[in-house]
Amino acid sequence: MSLNTDFMVKVAQTAIQGVPVTLQIVLVALLISLPIGVLFALIRIYRVKGLQRLVQFYVSLVRGTPIIAQILIVYSAFPSLLNMIIGKAAFSINPIYYAYIVFTFNSIATLTEVFRSALQTVDKGQMEAGLMVGMQPRQTFWRIILPQALISALPNIANATLYLIKNSSLAFIMSVKDITAIAKTEAAFNYNFLEAYLVVWVYYLIICYGAEIIFYLFERYFSKYRRPIKNRTGFNWFPFSIKQPKLEQK
Amino acid sequence: MDNIKLIINFLGQLLPAINITLIVSLSSIVLGSLLGLLLAATRLSESIVLRLLAGVYVSVIRATPAIIMIFVVYYGMPMVFNGWFHTNIDGWNRMYFVIIALTVLFSAPVSEIMRSAYESIAKGQMEAGLMVGMTPFQTFYRIILPQAFVVALPNFANSVVNLLKEGALTFTIGVVDMVAKAQMIVANNSGGFAWQTYCALALIYWVISLAIDKGLSLVEKSYQAKRKTIAV
Amino acid sequence: MLTIEGLKKSYAGNDILKGISINVNKGDVISIIGPSGSGKTTLLRTITTLEEANGGRITFAGVDNDFQKLNGKEINTIRRNVGFVFQNYNLFNNKTALQNITEGLIVARRVKKNEAENIALKALERVGLTDRKDHYPSQLSGGQQQRVGIARAIALNPEVIFFDEPTSALDPELVGEVLKVMKDLANSGTTMVVVTHQMSFARDVSNRVIFMADGYIVEQGEPRKIFENPSEERTKKFLTDILANV
């Protein structure tokens, strides 16, 4: 068995053009879904009438169906929908917008659950203390509760981001020219599929580890208040999604 | 109304292909759990080298997209078998490749779930068990395992749902599962009724996921019921 | 200054408070003692509007109304004129010791930032923690956290400070430092209502002791009378039990 290394170098050079596309999809989806996720989590926690059921339904639906099904639905339904609304021919739309839509919808569901559990980890004593120094509930929420919840959500936001990066590898189905799509096209010429996918794999590993390091630095920077002065935790090289953010023991 | 009728009609056409999904998922769950158990044991072992290797494995899998894993297994394994064992496995049922890929993907989170469940229970309970004169194995089997099971269950169910969803990529290597079937239906209708077809597809997966969640909460409830008689 | 009449509270059909009336005068240091489950903590939490009462009347800081009829403005008035020291400290985890104190001053009282910091530093000095001003709660011991909690309450200069079992979450060796701060406060004329299990504090520092059981005030009076010559059988039994364990 031998791999065609020349070809691998060539794929590596071409597929790198797909990296910005992948990152773009991930960033757009993340930036839109973060605030909406917080909003939806609040709707769930405060049981906003009517809306809370809707959010619950939405989260369950997205969480319970494969991303591929979501891609196929959006990709087949949106063109005609757009046609109806703006009368613009669907062909003229850059397929990356479909990717934005699918992955944003998907991330909103994940992040809603992330923020819901993060907000619930904040002790209710924090709100009471805020009220007892004369602050309004809303002020206490913005200044005390939300900052703590966001920081305790960081590990799970990192997980959601990794999940998003990995899922974005399916954007090629919507003919978005991302890493996977480029490698696939290259490989098709000579049937060097294994080589192409090994290169793609390495790219995803690099992107995922990069994201993990960024989140680790965020966490370090923002959670200074959670660290006892001496005990610093090192970078967790083998983190996993099932770990709940550690709470302070009081 | 017409749309609902269409979706119901498509449901009927898709459902026969569900057995592929079920076979792939169930085999991967069983094999992946076994591999995960092995990995968890490795990560709890004394040997630093073994621990490190298992750790790297889990960490790499965590950063690997399912579709890449499936492709690498599908295109890579025949090459490996051909080159190293001089065996031709091109004739294998393509489902096997998916099962292998999903087993590898599933084993990583499962090993972490098992490990952290074990660690959350083991320390104090093991000492207590030994102090009342049980052997380590007895303590593990009678005291730690049942408790760790309860701790691990929700996360395990969550991973099963993820596996089910990743299994929907089976079609990418040409196995005719529900997704492939749906695409065929759309093709047969010359691209018509596409979103209704895919909604039917999503609906089937959703029901399975809901069933898994429901099963989980039933099991959890029965455990809580047992507990209530003692506590409170 | 603060008058509570016929305060009632029930949870899920269980009556926790069955008609409590209390009168707090300026400069009072009142200790509330009693077995656990007698409703002491609930009493503080209902008076300070952390929990809704099911009946009773409050006269305090210009508010004179039934608990159930309090409007938002009146609730704000009550909250602005009380201080509260929590059993679990409840310091804002994302704020330093100093910021914990300035937060209420700046956000709720609209005091200017440097003025608030001056007030906060003075409060920290009173509890002896000036050198810990930039520490986060997780970097402080339980005793230090509770002292910051007390500083946070006094900085707002409230009419009365409520202490909800301020030392019961502390390791025994840390209880002393908190009690000392509370004693200094009492001596400086701060009005305090303290739910406590520290009988020494109740006996030596307070000027009135209230004994509660089963949602009622069983007996109240000067500490000497309650401790040396209680008139109720329940009080006697409680004190014998608790003092036997010391």
Side-chain angles (χ1 to χ4, degrees):
Chain A
M1 166 188 153
S2 64
L3 293 169
N4 184 344
T5 43
D6 290 346
F7 176 73
M8 286 174 84
V9 173
K10 189 173 160 250
V11 173
Q13 284 165 354
T14 11
I16 207 162
Q17 293 162 0
V19 173
V21 178
T22 298
L23 293 181
Q24 213 172 316
I25 295 173
V26 170
L27 280 180
V28 169
L30 208 58
L31 289 179
I32 301 178
S33 54
L34 278 170
I36 301 181
V38 173
L39 189 73
F40 279 17
L42 287 174
I43 289 174
R44 289 278 273 123
I45 287 177
Y46 289 107
R47 308 218 165 102
V48 178
K49 262 197 189 139
L51 291 179
Q52 101 115 343
R53 274 292 168 84
L54 220 60
V55 170
Q56 207 176 347
F57 176 81
Y58 175 77
V59 170
S60 161
L61 187 67
V62 173
R63 208 189 73 96
T65 53
I67 183 87
I68 179 76
Q70 293 160 20
I71 288 174
L72 292 172
I73 291 173
V74 169
Y75 199 47
S76 61
F78 266 72
S80 49
L81 212 67
L82 285 179
N83 223 338
M84 253 163 44
I85 299 168
I86 52 174
K88 199 173 163 189
F91 302 105
S92 57
I93 291 170
N94 186 338
I96 202 166
Y97 287 104
Y98 294 119
Y100 292 157
I101 294 171
V102 175
F103 294 115
T104 304
F105 277 3
N106 195 274
S107 289
I108 289 173
T110 327
L111 289 174
T112 300
E113 288 304 277
V114 167
F115 288 124
R116 192 165 74 101
S117 72
L119 284 164
Q120 282 169 340
T121 61
V122 180
D123 191 79
K124 82 179 183 28
Q126 297 285 311
M127 176 58 85
E128 293 183 347
L131 299 180
M132 283 295 107
V133 297
M135 293 200 278
Q136 296 296 323
R138 196 166 31 83
Q139 292 170 324
T140 316
F141 176 80
W142 284 107
R143 303 183 58 95
I144 309 293
I145 312 277
L146 190 62
Q148 291 184 40
L150 283 180
I151 289 159
S152 83
L154 269 175
N156 285 333
I157 299 176
N159 281 326
T161 308
L162 244 59
Y163 181 73
L164 179 59
I165 294 172
K166 291 192 286 177
N167 274 341
S168 76
S169 65
L170 293 174
F172 75 87
I173 291 171
M174 298 176 276
S175 50
V176 174
K177 299 259 176 296
D178 74 332
I179 308 174
T180 320
I182 294 174
K184 216 170 146 77
T185 330
E186 288 287 318
F189 287 124
N190 294 313
Y191 292 98
N192 291 323
F193 286 104
L194 179 63
E195 285 91 339
Y197 290 126
L198 285 175
V199 170
V200 175
W201 192 1
V202 172
Y203 276 138
Y204 278 105
L205 287 181
I206 293 171
I207 296 174
C208 285
Y209 277 119
E212 292 222 49
I213 289 171
I214 290 171
F215 273 102
Y216 167 73
L217 294 176
F218 267 140
E219 227 178 301
R220 251 191 89 104
Y221 179 75
F222 285 114
S223 62
K224 52 184 187 289
Y225 73 83
R226 299 169 141 215
R227 272 200 306 274
I229 278 188
K230 273 169 200 161
N231 285 334
R232 298 258 155 108
T233 45
F235 178 56
N236 179 7
W237 288 97
F238 313 115
F240 222 88
S241 57
I242 52 161
K243 277 195 193 143
Q244 285 296 311
K246 286 212 177 73
L247 301 178
E248 275 175 74
Q249 295 296 323
K250 278 288 158 57
Chain B
M1 273 329 280
D2 284 350
N3 284 333
I4 294 176
K5 265 189 202 146
L6 274 169
I7 290 175
I8 292 171
N9 176 23
F10 290 134
L11 274 179
Q13 296 184 42
L14 289 174
L15 271 173
I18 200 174
N19 52 0
I20 305 272
T21 307
L22 293 182
I23 292 170
V24 167
S25 306
L26 288 177
S27 330
S28 314
I29 291 169
V30 173
L31 296 173
S33 302
L34 291 175
L35 186 57
L37 187 66
L38 198 72
L39 269 174
T42 313
R43 292 201 66 184
L44 292 165
S45 76
E46 308 270 298
S47 154
I48 294 178
V49 180
L50 282 181
R51 278 210 308 264
L52 195 74
L53 281 177
V56 170
Y57 174 91
V58 169
S59 158
V60 167
I61 297 301
R62 173 178 145 88
T64 304
I67 183 115
I68 304 299
M69 181 53 81
I70 291 173
F71 281 157
V72 166
V73 168
Y74 177 65
Y75 292 111
M77 269 191 52
M79 269 181 93
V80 170
F81 270 69
N82 222 338
W84 294 357
F85 311 116
H86 305 289
T87 325
N88 190 346
I89 59 167
D90 284 345
W92 270 18
N93 188 329
R94 290 180 175 187
M95 242 170 30
Y96 295 159
F97 296 109
V98 181
I99 292 174
I100 291 168
L102 291 182
T103 298
V104 171
L105 287 174
F106 189 59
S107 64
V110 163
S111 77
E112 283 297 285
I113 290 165
M114 290 177 176
R115 185 176 68 111
S116 72
Y118 174 81
E119 281 178 341
S120 73
I121 304 292
K123 206 170 168 246
Q125 296 286 304
M126 180 59 92
E127 286 169 359
L130 298 179
M131 283 300 109
V132 298
M134 290 199 268
T135 66
F137 180 75
Q138 284 170 330
T139 316
F140 174 75
Y141 191 73
R142 301 186 59 91
I143 309 293
I144 296 175
L145 201 58
Q147 295 184 60
F149 177 73
V150 178
V151 173
L153 206 58
N155 290 323
F156 186 79
N158 199 21
S159 296
V160 168
V161 173
N162 279 339
L163 172 87
L164 177 79
K165 294 191 286 181
E166 283 166 350
L169 296 174
T170 309
F171 81 99
T172 53
I173 59 168
V175 180
V176 183
D177 70 338
M178 289 191 292
V179 183
K181 191 94 188 193
Q183 290 184 317
M184 285 176 192
I185 295 173
V186 173
N188 282 343
N189 290 328
S190 329
F193 312 122
W195 71 264
Q196 293 93 333
T197 316
Y198 296 132
C199 277
L201 174 72
L203 212 58
I204 296 173
Y205 275 101
W206 192 32
V207 169
I208 305 177
S209 305
L210 288 179
I212 294 171
D213 284 348
K214 186 76 196 163
L216 168 73
S217 66
L218 284 179
V219 175
E220 280 188 323
K221 247 185 209 146
S222 80
Y223 268 88
Q224 273 165 5
K226 273 185 206 164
R227 241 184 230 179
K228 247 181 206 156
T229 52
I230 313 164
V232 179
Chain C
M1 177 191 74
L2 167 67
T3 309
I4 303 293
E5 285 165 88
L7 175 56
K8 285 188 185 133
K9 169 78 186 167
S10 55
Y11 281 115
N14 292 328
D15 294 333
I16 310 293
L17 300 176
K18 301 169 182 167
I20 302 274
S21 298
I22 296 181
N23 186 26
V24 181
N25 298 316
K26 200 165 170 51
D28 266 353
V29 177
I30 298 176
S31 290
I32 303 178
I33 60 172
S36 54
S38 54
K40 307 179 299 270
T41 292
T42 311
L43 175 63
L44 295 201
R45 293 174 59 86
T46 38
I47 294 176
T48 52
T49 71
L50 281 178
E51 277 172 40
E52 275 178 60
N54 302 112
R57 194 175 181 82
I58 181 168
T59 315
F60 175 60
V63 176
D64 184 2
N65 206 345
D66 287 347
F67 271 105
Q68 284 167 307
K69 290 182 191 152
L70 291 173
N71 59 30
K73 208 176 149 205
E74 288 170 322
I75 287 178
N76 278 336
T77 312
I78 294 173
R79 285 178 184 168
R80 278 178 190 220
N81 285 289
V82 299
F84 203 101
V85 176
F86 295 87
Q87 180 175 1
N88 298 316
Y89 336 128
N90 286 349
L91 295 187
F92 303 131
N93 291 322
N94 55 339
K95 305 275 174 189
T96 62
L98 190 78
Q99 289 166 346
N100 257 281
I101 304 170
T102 55
E103 191 72 9
L105 290 166
I106 296 172
V107 178
R109 298 275 161 96
R110 307 204 179 281
V111 177
K112 285 215 183 70
K113 191 168 177 243
N114 32 7
E115 204 179 320
E117 275 172 6
N118 282 334
I119 298 173
L121 281 172
K122 267 183 207 132
L124 277 178
E125 202 182 328
R126 280 183 79 178
V127 300
L129 283 175
T130 318
D131 57 330
R132 292 282 187 275
K133 70 182 169 68
D134 294 324
H135 283 50
Y136 286 94
S138 63
Q139 300 164 338
L140 299 171
S141 74
Q144 290 169 337
Q145 287 189 57
Q146 192 58 297
R147 280 149 67 196
V148 174
I150 294 172
R152 181 170 69 178
I154 56 180
L156 296 161
N157 198 20
E159 299 269 329
V160 47
I161 303 180
F162 292 91
F163 292 76
D164 181 15
E165 306 195 18
T167 58
S168 36
L170 293 172
D171 290 335
E173 74 271 20
L174 302 176
V175 170
E177 58 185 84
V178 173
L179 285 182
K180 184 180 170 295
V181 168
M182 289 169 61
K183 206 168 166 178
D184 290 346
L185 272 188
N187 290 337
S188 71
T190 313
T191 314
M192 297 160 67
V193 176
V194 186
V195 168
T196 186
H197 291 294
Q198 297 293 326
M199 291 307 141
S200 60
F201 182 88
R203 182 166 46 195
D204 304 336
V205 184
S206 48
N207 68 341
R208 188 166 13 134
V209 174
I210 293 176
F211 174 69
M212 273 182 76
D214 292 335
Y216 293 108
I217 291 181
V218 176
E219 186 171 2
Q220 58 177 313
E222 281 181 24
R224 175 177 288 186
K225 176 178 173 293
I226 299 283
F227 280 94
E228 285 165 17
N229 189 18
S231 45
E232 297 288 329
E233 201 51 42
R234 295 201 63 164
T235 321
K236 220 177 278 176
K237 184 166 182 319
F238 173 75
L239 288 171
T240 342
D241 286 352
I242 208 163
L243 293 175
N245 288 327
V246 172

